[in-house]
């Protein structure tokens, strides 16, 4: 079993403290907020396709369980408080409690899960990194679909058509890109240390 120093955060900044962690947590939230602005709507679903799941996966893996979840919780809270971080510069309670809120909650849980798996070395090889990223994506889909079904009073077939199926091809691309990025980052860290 590996210790919590197994994340990229500790590999790159082994002797940093609370201020560094606060900057990384805030930076992760900001990165997700920026990626959320790259979005487009399909027209038949209230959920936009965005780039934000890509940094969600990377932030969780790079920062680990606690810091990754804290970063996405900060994103969630800032958006609820009125900072226009959600897709299409949306923000506030109405946006959060609407159709997309479950995906945002899922980001927090997914970052924690991916961080936990990364602390155990799952981000070092492409195959295990793909498994970690897919696990996080499934968590996002579960929270998002449950919330969407409840908020719009949909049946399961419509929930899956509106909240899961259209996003799978794009999310698989993001999973594979994130999974390829992490082992490459570890290889770079090893090269710089030697």
């Amino acid at each position: 079993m590996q210790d919590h120093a197994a994340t990229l955060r500790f590999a790159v900044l082994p002797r940093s403290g609370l201020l560094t962690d606060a900057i990384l947590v805030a930076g992760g939230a900001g990165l997700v907020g920026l990626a959320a602005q790259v979005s487009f709507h399909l027209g038949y679903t209230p959920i936009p396709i965005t780039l934000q799941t890509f940094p969600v996966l990377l932030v969780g893996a790079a920062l680990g369980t606690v810091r990754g979840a804290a970063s996405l919780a900060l994103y969630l809270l800032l958006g609820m408080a009125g900072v226009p971080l959600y897709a299409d510069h949306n923000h506030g309670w109405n946006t959060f409690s609407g159709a997309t809120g479950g995906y945002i909650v899922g980001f927090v849980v997914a970052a924690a899960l991916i961080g936990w798996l990364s602390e155990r070395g799952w981000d070092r090889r492409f195959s295990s990194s793909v498994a970690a990223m897919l696990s996080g994506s499934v968590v996002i889909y579960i929270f998002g679909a449950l919330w969407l079904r409840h908020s719009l009073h949909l049946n399961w077939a419509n929930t899956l058509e509106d909240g899961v199926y259209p996003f799978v091809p794009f999310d698989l691309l993001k999973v594979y890109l994130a999974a390829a990025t992490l082992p490459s980052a570890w290889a770079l860290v090893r090269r710089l240390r030697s």
Side-chain angles (χ1 to χ4, degrees), residues 54 58 126 133 171-183:
F54 179 69
L58 291 178
F126 179 74
M133 299 305 151
D171 285 340
L172 284 175
L173 177 62
K174 290 180 268 186
V175 160
Y176 284 107
L177 287 173
T181 300
L182 292 164

Side-chain angles (χ1 to χ4, degrees), residues 62-121:
L63 299 184
T65 306
V66 174
R67 291 166 190 83
S71 186
L72 275 297
L74 179 62
Y75 168 78
L76 181 156
L77 293 171
L78 288 173
M80 280 180 45
V83 179
L85 289 175
Y86 298 156
D88 302 319
H89 298 289
N90 286 318
H91 55 85
W93 176 252
N94 287 339
T95 300
F96 178 74
S97 62
T100 59
Y103 298 94
I104 298 168
V105 172
F107 293 164
V108 178
V109 179
L113 173 63
I114 293 166
W116 186 83
L117 293 170
S118 293
E119 288 167 356
R120 282 142 187 84

Side-chain angles (χ1 to χ4, degrees), residues 24-162:
L24 290 171
V25 165
L31 185 62
V32 173
L34 282 173
Q37 305 320 310
V38 180
S39 67
F40 62 95
H41 294 268
L42 298 173
Y44 64 90
T45 173
I47 311 300
I49 293 176
T50 70
L51 285 182
Q52 70 194 124
T53 52
F54 179 69
V56 167
L57 302 173
L58 291 178
V59 166
L63 299 184
T65 306
V66 174
R67 291 166 190 83
S71 186
L72 275 297
L74 179 62
Y75 168 78
L76 181 156
L77 293 171
L78 288 173
M80 280 180 45
V83 179
L85 289 175
Y86 298 156
D88 302 319
H89 298 289
N90 286 318
H91 55 85
W93 176 252
N94 287 339
T95 300
F96 178 74
S97 62
T100 59
Y103 298 94
I104 298 168
V105 172
F107 293 164
V108 178
V109 179
L113 173 63
I114 293 166
W116 186 83
L117 293 170
S118 293
E119 288 167 356
R120 282 142 187 84
W122 285 45
D123 61 340
R124 307 285 174 99
R125 290 187 342 269
F126 179 74
S127 59
S128 57
S129 189
V130 166
M133 299 305 151
L134 282 174
S135 299
S137 293
V138 167
V139 165
I140 294 168
Y141 281 132
I142 289 170
F143 277 84
L146 289 171
W147 195 294
L148 178 66
R149 183 175 190 268
H150 173 75
S151 70
L152 298 183
H153 309 289
L154 300 174
N155 62 35
W156 277 113
N158 289 341
T159 299
L160 295 174
E161 288 171 10
D162 287 355

